[in-house]
Amino acid sequence: MEILWVLMALVMLGFVLLQISRRRRGAVGLVEPGHPDAADPANYGFAREEELDIRMPGPDQDLLDVLDLVQRTQDYRGAMQLLAGTEAEGERRWQRVQAFAGAASLELRQRPGGVGETPGGQWLRVWRAEAPKDAGGAAVHAEFLVQQAWRTSTPGADDFRIIMEEAKAACGEAALLAPGDPVPYIVELSVARGLGYSREEFEQLWLKILDRAPNHMGAHLAALQYWCEKWHGSRELAYSFAEAAAARAPRGSLLAAMPLFAVFEHLPEVNLVSGFYQSEVVTKAVHGALHAVHSARPDDPMQAHVRHLLVFFLVRGERWAEAMNQLTVIDGHVGALPWTLSTDPAAEFAVYRALAVAGYEANGGSPATLPH
């Protein structure tokens, strides 16, 4: 009987705390679609959840057109031509290599092949067989192997290590085919994390990237993973790496946003600190990221990555209007952190977007007051 009374007391306490929490948050929450109190993201011209593109963080119509052609015809030549015409040192080449590799990996998962059946991603195998000296195909193949390792196995397992060793060799081959291209070495950063390179080995790899593309944002994000607490570093090492990158970032560089990614990688699993997302460390990192996107080139392909993460932090920090400003730029594409960590990136993004709209309207905002 005493246990029953204790359980009842706990339930009542939980209910009271929930009501207090709701009042402190200004009663902003989600209701069922169609409810009279529901804030409708469509009123702001936002895409419907089922229309959100989970493949990329932002628009790249040339890539989408070529990817559609390659997958429809199973002819790799469009991909080869697109990569050959993409600047080696830029962010876009790295994103396109990831996209082609991801498409081939997803095809293989959907159609693994069997007796009398051609496996998915066959166009990549044909690409490597017919154009073995093509640097773009070699880079895509290396990234494909990396993605296969992470998607189909568990770090530390024998099959994981076998695929990663194969990926490491593929990175070396791709680097020989394009000595000035940083992409093969960026791909190897994931290999280094998976195989547990020593810090000396990792630093040597990192120096090769800095020699070729010292301000490459994608490379810095990949390297940050190695220094994180959950892999081969610590919170302090990850923060130090991110803050050093931000400090040496040239004017207009998105590297100033690196501390925000370091904070995200070390979020507490259970947040017991009131106002964590308004804390000094988060506020400072958000401020740096906002400054970065405001000063970066409008066509910088890494802007979308930063803006997506800003939406996460701005919504958590109840900075509704600022979150809405980011959403007007990135809406339509959700292939970026933090949404890609979810099994349903579009749904995860839609929840945060709905919260931003609800919070914005609860504080007097409307489609008419939102700048575009």
Side-chain angles (χ1 to χ4, degrees), residues 128-210:
R128 293 298 296 131
E130 293 186 355
K133 300 299 182 183
D134 179 63
V140 172
H141 179 236
E143 173 65 15
F144 167 81
L145 291 170
V146 166
Q147 293 194 27
Q148 281 295 99
W150 290 111
R151 287 177 175 174
T152 64
S153 188
T154 303
D158 289 343
D159 56 341
F160 178 87
R161 178 167 289 276
I162 289 171
I163 300 173
M164 277 297 187
E165 290 288 358
E166 187 179 352
K168 181 179 181 180
C171 288
E173 183 179 351
L176 289 175
L177 292 172
D181 187 351
V183 169
Y185 299 103
I186 299 174
V187 176
E188 193 179 348
L189 289 173
S190 189
V191 176
R193 176 162 55 97
L195 292 180
Y197 281 22
S198 68
R199 291 184 181 176
E200 181 181 358
E201 290 175 309
F202 187 85
E203 291 285 7
Q204 290 174 354
L205 173 61
W206 184 238
L207 286 175
K208 293 177 182 177
I209 295 171
L210 292 181

Side-chain angles (χ1 to χ4, degrees), residues 92-150:
R92 199 171 295 281
R93 180 178 176 83
W94 167 230
Q95 291 189 2
R96 288 174 172 176
V97 165
Q98 286 183 299
F100 286 128
S105 179
L106 182 59
E107 280 186 36
L108 182 59
R109 184 171 66 181
Q110 294 172 338
R111 302 193 310 276
V115 178
E117 181 184 7
T118 302
Q122 183 67 19
W123 53 269
L124 178 55
R125 297 180 183 84
V126 176
W127 187 357
R128 293 298 296 131
E130 293 186 355
K133 300 299 182 183
D134 179 63
V140 172
H141 179 236
E143 173 65 15
F144 167 81
L145 291 170
V146 166
Q147 293 194 27
Q148 281 295 99
W150 290 111

